Amino acid sequence: MNTNNGLRTREARRGCVQTVLGLIEPIALARTLMHEHILCDIRPPSWKTLGSFGREITLENRYAIDYGEVTAPGNLVLDDRNTAIQELRRFRTDGGNSIVELSCGGLHPDPNGLVEVARGSDVHIVMGCGYYVDEYQDPANQSRSVDNFATEMLEQIERGAWGTDVRAGILGEIGCQTPWTGLERRVMAAAAEVQRDSGAAVCVHPARHPDQPFEAATFLEQQGADLSRVIMSHLDRTIFDDERLFRLADTGVVLEFDLFGIETSFYKWADIDMPNDAQRLRTLRRLIDRGHLEQIAISQDICYKTRLVCHGGHGYGHILRNVVPMMMRRGFSSEEIATILEHTPQRLLALV
Ligand SMILES: [Zn+2]
């Protein structure tokens, strides 16, 4: 699959981070959120046929919608570029610099929108590619092969994604469900292949079963992926015991806790005990004490309106405004914080 042309372009990118506005030096990333959505539509396909956004979000109902008591499909759609610019400007004011935007196939990616938002907010945006979980994918994908997916994903990094000339800088979030479907395995196998051919990192959206992250990591290793450049997302809603967590850590993958800011034990997508930020930090501390500092990523996975400041939410700056001070109060060193928010993102996003 490596044409000479492809090799040359890869050589030109090596060591750089590919944002939606072009290549930058890794050091320019500074404080980086590794798993967010800025422009997306995460309505389950079965809801879209309802054809409606449901009730408008007001001050009176925003908590109920955010909590999940009240269903408002429109809450799951982030499609206003000006709103996104305002929210990202707030993130800049809070000391943030860069965001990884993982709205890939199935989540209504908008590359040209991200270009406009990056320009308007002065935030570096690194865009994902590939496909989210099976049920969100175009039914036509069912008949596609690993090679066919790999060709498309490599092109999304080398030439441009989703019919634009805007290039992706990371693979993912590559989706898995329980049970893990054949289509999802083919997309994952393609991601492993394109990781080798492009030097980009892979971000995995694991299924909710607590053993699935390990299963996905093992599969990726069998496919020849470099696990030190694989990010296992959403562990705060997936793994609740140290035995599984440490077993996953020992594979070498990056462990991502990306639901910071969700402070309620109730989680509307699954009946689990969602940790709060303080509990997430305790887990981070146990991992650091076991020697895994350089395998930790944190983020907020904002993907609906009630988490935006303009709808009464915490916004993209929550980790910088609130979690970093909490980390300092709880004895995390500035070096540990810089490793998590700056050095690890630099390592992962620099194409190798
Ligand atoms: Zn996500």
Side-chain angles (χ1 to χ4, degrees):
M1 209 164 71
N2 269 329
T3 63
N4 284 337
N5 188 35
L7 280 173
R8 262 206 312 279
T9 53
R10 180 175 183 181
E11 215 43 62
R13 293 190 178 101
R14 201 185 297 274
C16 296
V17 174
Q18 185 155 264
T19 75
V20 295
L21 298 183
L23 298 174
I24 61 168
E25 292 294 323
I27 194 80
L29 285 172
R31 290 173 146 192
T32 305
L33 299 176
M34 286 298 293
H35 192 132
E36 301 294 337
H37 301 271
I38 298 166
L39 296 170
C40 66
D41 180 348
I42 64 153
R43 285 176 297 167
S46 54
W47 292 18
K48 285 181 194 169
T49 55
L50 301 175
S52 138
F53 274 25
R55 60 188 81 185
E56 200 182 318
I57 302 166
T58 64
L59 200 53
E60 284 74 22
N61 68 19
R62 79 146 304 277
Y63 182 85
I65 290 172
D66 187 70
Y67 189 87
E69 284 173 73
V70 169
T71 299
N75 192 35
L76 307 184
V77 182
L78 303 181
D79 60 356
D80 188 284
R81 295 177 183 185
N82 287 327
T83 300
I85 289 170
Q86 297 311 318
E87 295 287 325
L88 262 55
R89 282 186 181 159
R90 289 190 168 102
F91 169 69
R92 284 287 278 137
T93 306
D94 292 330
N97 303 88
S98 305
I99 292 184
V100 176
E101 214 286 0
L102 293 166
S103 304
C104 59
L107 297 175
H108 282 244
D110 180 3
N112 288 325
L114 294 180
V115 166
E116 193 180 320
V117 173
R119 288 209 177 105
S121 64
D122 195 27
V123 169
H124 297 301
I125 299 176
V126 177
M127 180 176 76
C129 65
Y131 288 93
Y132 192 57
V133 298
D134 196 325
E135 72 165 308
Y136 280 72
Q137 290 189 43
D138 184 336
N141 281 3
Q142 297 293 342
S143 59
R144 295 177 60 186
S145 65
V146 173
D147 275 355
N148 187 275
F149 281 122
T151 301
E152 182 189 35
M153 282 149 77
L154 187 61
E155 225 174 76
Q156 293 178 327
I157 293 170
E158 293 194 334
R159 293 193 179 84
W162 316 116
T164 72
D165 59 2
V166 183
R167 295 175 173 117
I170 188 169
L171 294 149
E173 54 184 305
I174 305 297
C176 311
Q177 293 174 188
T178 306
W180 200 8
T181 73
L183 169 58
E184 290 167 342
R185 284 170 195 264
R186 293 200 301 282
V187 173
M188 193 68 78
E193 194 176 320
V194 178
Q195 186 201 44
R196 287 197 305 277
D197 288 344
S198 68
V202 181
C203 174
V204 177
H205 166 100
R208 298 188 201 289
H209 191 285
D211 289 326
Q212 214 276 329
F214 187 82
E215 185 187 11
T218 308
F219 177 85
L220 278 165
E221 189 168 38
Q222 287 162 356
Q223 298 295 319
D226 174 356
L227 293 192
S228 73
R229 299 182 58 73
V230 168
I231 303 141
M232 200 57 71
S233 305
H234 311 326
L235 295 184
D236 23 8
R237 61 91 163 127
T238 316
I239 294 181
F240 303 94
D241 63 282
D242 281 354
E243 196 190 320
R244 280 192 178 87
L245 186 62
F246 293 161
R247 194 159 74 110
L248 183 64
D250 289 338
T251 66
V253 297
V254 173
L255 309 159
E256 186 170 87
F257 298 83
D258 46 29
L259 298 167
F260 273 89
I262 298 183
E263 294 272 33
T264 54
S265 60
F266 176 73
Y267 182 54
K268 62 187 146 197
W269 308 108
D271 192 15
I272 53 154
D273 291 1
M274 178 62 87
N276 60 30
D277 286 352
Q279 291 165 319
R280 291 182 180 97
L281 291 184
R282 283 176 195 265
T283 304
L284 258 51
R285 173 46 61 198
R286 293 198 301 284
L287 284 167
I288 293 170
D289 288 347
R290 196 170 176 267
H292 301 295
L293 171 63
E294 286 165 8
Q295 282 171 262
I296 295 171
I298 64 175
S299 209
Q300 300 147 160
D301 196 14
I302 290 179
C303 50
Y304 47 91
K305 291 189 177 90
T306 49
R307 298 185 70 197
L308 301 177
V309 174
C310 67
H311 288 290
H314 53 67
Y316 295 95
H318 171 70
I319 283 180
L320 298 172
R321 286 195 321 274
N322 301 321
V323 178
V324 167
M326 190 189 251
M327 290 171 95
M328 289 164 74
R329 288 197 300 276
R330 285 161 193 240
F332 286 78
S333 67
S334 351
E335 195 197 322
E336 287 168 345
I337 295 168
T339 299
I340 294 169
L341 285 174
E342 298 176 51
H343 306 152
T344 297
Q346 283 169 22
R347 172 179 78 75
L348 292 167
L349 296 173
L351 300 166
V352 296

